[in-house]
Amino acid sequence: MTTGIVLIGIYTLSQAIPELIYLFSIYRFTQSISTDTQTSIWANLGTQNQAGIFASTAQFLIGIFLLFGAPKLSSWIRKRL
């Protein structure tokens, strides 16, 4: 069971990391072309990219938890079943 949880964590991270890199590049591009100092970069990103950043960050943290917390999670599941 531990191996399976680790593999799910690796799979989750393999999706989250490229998405975070993509969204970070959008953030940096938006920051570089922004000429209005009154509006924040966060507001210029738009709701789609803001939601993407939150979702990808959550996915990244879940992947880290699954990868490094697999033994504890596995033993917790075994005790509950």
Side-chain angles (χ1 to χ4, degrees):
M1 184 180 299
T2 304
T3 304
I5 294 172
V6 168
L7 290 174
I8 292 170
I10 291 170
Y11 177 74
T12 304
L13 285 175
S14 73
Q15 291 181 336
I17 290 173
E19 182 70 19
L20 282 173
I21 291 170
Y22 170 73
L23 290 168
F24 180 72
S25 66
I26 289 176
Y27 175 81
R28 294 293 292 171
F29 178 72
T30 304
Q31 188 177 30
S32 70
I33 65 169
S34 178
T35 57
D36 185 14
T37 58
Q38 300 297 324
T39 307
S40 72
I41 302 301
W42 184 252
N44 287 338
L45 280 176
T47 55
Q48 179 90 21
N49 290 328
Q50 291 171 359
I53 289 171
F54 284 129
S56 296
T57 302
Q59 185 178 11
F60 177 77
L61 294 174
I62 290 168
I64 292 292
F65 171 72
L66 290 174
L67 186 62
F68 294 110
K72 289 183 181 182
L73 183 61
S74 176
S75 67
W76 183 83
I77 291 172
R78 286 183 194 170
K79 287 179 186 176
R80 302 295 184 258
L81 294 179

